Amino acid sequence: MLHFLSRLSDIATSLKWDSREMDFEEVYDAQTRERLQREFSRLKDVAYLDHTGATLYPEGLVEAISSDLRINLYGNPHALNSSSRLSSDVVEQTRERVLSFFGTSSLKYDVIFTSGATQALAIVANCFSWRDGQAYAYFAESHTSVVGVRQVAAQRGAKIIPITQEKIESIFNENSPIGAVGGLFAFPGQCNFSGAKYPLEWVEKIRQRGDWSVLLDAASLAATSRLDLSSISPDFVCISFYKIFGLPTGLGALLVRLGAEERLEKNYFGGGTVLMALASGKLRHESRPVLHERFEDGTINFLDIVQLGQAFKYFANLIPGGMSSVEEHTFQLARYLFLSLRDLKHFNDKPLAVIYQDNNFKSKTQQGPIVNFNLKRANETFIGFSEVLHLCNLFNVHVRTGCFCNPGACQRHLKMTVDELEQQFEAGHVCGDAIDLLGGRPTGSVRASVGYCSTKEDMDALVGLVKKCFLETTPSKDRSDLRLENLETNASKEPRLSRLFLYPVKSCGAQEVQSWPLDHKGLVGDRGWMVATDASTPLTQKTCPRMCLIKPTLDLENNVLHLSFPGMSDVSISILNDRSSNDSSSSKICGVVVQMVDCGDQVAEWLSLALEISGLRLLQQWSDDLRKQKKGDIICKLFGFLRENS
């Protein structure tokens, strides 16, 4: 075990990739880089590359927000007292700040605060009025939230027209597939799968085709690029602010071009949206005349809006050059990562990485800071993205895997047909799961996305890991061939159980036994305990490899669990068999909620010292918890064991 951890340390050290031959030029000056390093001290030894999912907030912004909330008294903006007036003033100032940030003003746009870009899209979906014969046309390689508008549109009689990559340019021709019937056309400013940027000139080109309103999903684009609404005028723009600043995570906006609100018909009315309403006698209400006042139902998230105001102020001083500098910085880093992965080749000159992109990262006007890829072995078979993710997690490289809520882009880049996608679903694969290969073909990919605080060292960490763990420098016998030989050799043998292990503490070492009693959950005491963090989440070897050095010994005769760790005295605890403890809680393990009881401070301190993580607790599952093993779990585990050891 100690040798295993030593090898992990050696690998981690060797992940520092020699990148001297790769061309890269820093965009930020030295002073900005030094400040960002201070702001993100929590990223020491961490390469965070999921900024498209959620970028990170600087520590100084948290302090500024905390100071603001400590000093000022903010009340519900629907009231007329002093604290409420302060909230109202800050909300309206921030509303103007949003418009200024995007190069426009309240003379051209209004801002409806939402919980995020998805709610902004839902407002358009639920309120847009399609005239007879009109359509909802959307670029097929859009986020699921854009695609989802079609359900409402179809229910209201609109024709549904998905536009694929192959047909996108044809919509501007005389024989356009969308014609001149009009309706709503939606597209993203930047693909959240590949990072490809789409021409914002499409806005005016679509309008020239007839009675079309245009919805721009700017959630991905605005995160790292300057969106200037003084040069283009989409009717509706969807934004999520946490993708730009890191927080607040529960706030977005729908920007509505003045005049475009005529296409929105809102039926429901909530608190604060009416001038008057009769509860009985007559079914009468009068909506407020200002657009955002009609659409912001109930009390808005005014404290998040306070945080947003602070974010605008803080970022104005954090990055000289603002979003223009962020756009250049993130593009250069992503291009560097793209070139670095592209140039990695196995011993037989076969490329290690298959990168999903359309423009070779030639220009920041065509490509955003996303590098999406899968890895292949020297024999050109795919490596599952889950395998890549596990190693990334092990070495603190944070990436995202799957299809990223963009089924259209995923389908095109992975070259899958509609029938194949349906077959994958029937085989059990669903969005967000860990099934990475079916029939040897990938179901998704690995996405590394760059943010304003990313560094060249982050890129080198990912490339170094990929090179060290997956690059084949010499020929070796294919692992699948070896497994096949073993199966053929052992095919004639009678399966037998040769050794038996149980794991009393989840993710810790094994206890070998000669025989062991069973209960309704399987082996008695197997995974009956877990180590939990101070956030009450299970700790596993994926994030703490040292757990494998903890050796549990379950003594059923004396009702005791012993724990040992190299260089430390053992610790023992009594097995709890009743609910007399007040320190009970519930926790979700493998998707199942189980009842747990805390095992006390002594073993908690022992675990924190052994694993070098403060705040750990040992939790035991209630002995009378009737949670069953997932269907077939025990049989599958035993069958797998027999197959490997027969």
Side-chain angles (χ1 to χ4, degrees), residues 209-404:
R209 297 211 56 82
D211 186 20
W212 286 97
S213 297
V214 180
L215 188 160
L216 174 65
D217 176 12
S220 179
L221 176 68
T224 53
S225 300
R226 183 170 184 266
L227 175 60
D228 185 2
L229 295 179
S230 67
S231 58
I232 60 166
S233 302
D235 298 282
F236 311 105
V237 183
C238 303
I239 300 292
S240 282
F241 292 110
Y242 73 93
K243 293 182 180 292
I244 305 173
F245 304 121
L247 54 77
T249 54
L251 191 67
L254 173 64
L255 277 58
V256 181
R257 184 181 61 81
L258 299 186
E261 74 274 13
E262 296 175 359
R263 296 301 300 268
L264 301 179
E265 295 180 356
K266 183 171 179 283
N267 293 316
Y268 173 81
F269 61 92
T273 65
V274 296
L275 295 172
M276 65 86 70
L278 298 179
S280 62
K282 289 184 179 180
L283 300 181
R284 181 187 175 188
H285 76 279
E286 297 294 334
S287 298
R288 290 188 176 273
V290 179
L291 179 65
H292 65 258
E293 292 179 351
R294 294 201 303 273
F295 278 81
E296 291 173 349
D297 291 297
T299 301
I300 57 176
N301 197 339
F302 60 94
L303 289 182
D304 270 11
I305 296 174
V306 169
Q307 294 180 43
L308 178 60
Q310 289 291 342
F312 279 123
K313 296 175 185 177
Y314 201 84
F315 271 75
N317 298 317
L318 182 63
I319 308 291
M323 294 305 294
S324 295
S325 292
V326 170
E327 182 174 21
E328 182 67 28
H329 170 74
T330 55
F331 171 73
Q332 291 298 337
L333 286 175
R335 182 176 182 275
Y336 169 76
L337 177 59
F338 162 71
L339 294 173
S340 301
L341 290 174
R342 185 196 64 180
D343 290 350
L344 292 179
K345 291 182 170 56
H346 294 293
F347 67 90
N348 57 359
D349 208 38
K350 299 294 183 181
L352 172 60
V354 179
I355 303 175
Y356 305 113
Q357 52 81 35
D358 296 313
N359 51 59
N360 288 318
F361 285 71
K362 292 179 180 178
S363 168
K364 65 182 179 183
T365 62
Q366 298 176 318
Q367 177 66 39
I370 294 174
V371 182
N372 195 313
F373 63 94
N374 270 313
L375 300 179
K376 278 188 169 183
R377 300 181 180 87
N379 64 3
E380 297 191 276
T381 59
F382 279 100
I383 299 169
F385 61 71
S386 290
E387 183 175 346
V388 179
L389 178 63
H390 290 328
L391 282 166
C392 285
N393 286 339
L394 192 59
F395 295 108
N396 279 330
V397 177
H398 297 230
V399 296
R400 186 169 172 179
T401 56
C403 274
F404 324 106

Side-chain angles (χ1 to χ4, degrees), residues 522-544:
L523 298 172
V524 171
D526 185 49
R527 293 171 178 82
W529 290 260
M530 76 170 188
V531 181
T533 67
D534 54 5
S536 299
T537 58
L539 189 68
T540 70
Q541 287 188 35
K542 294 177 183 177
T543 55
C544 182

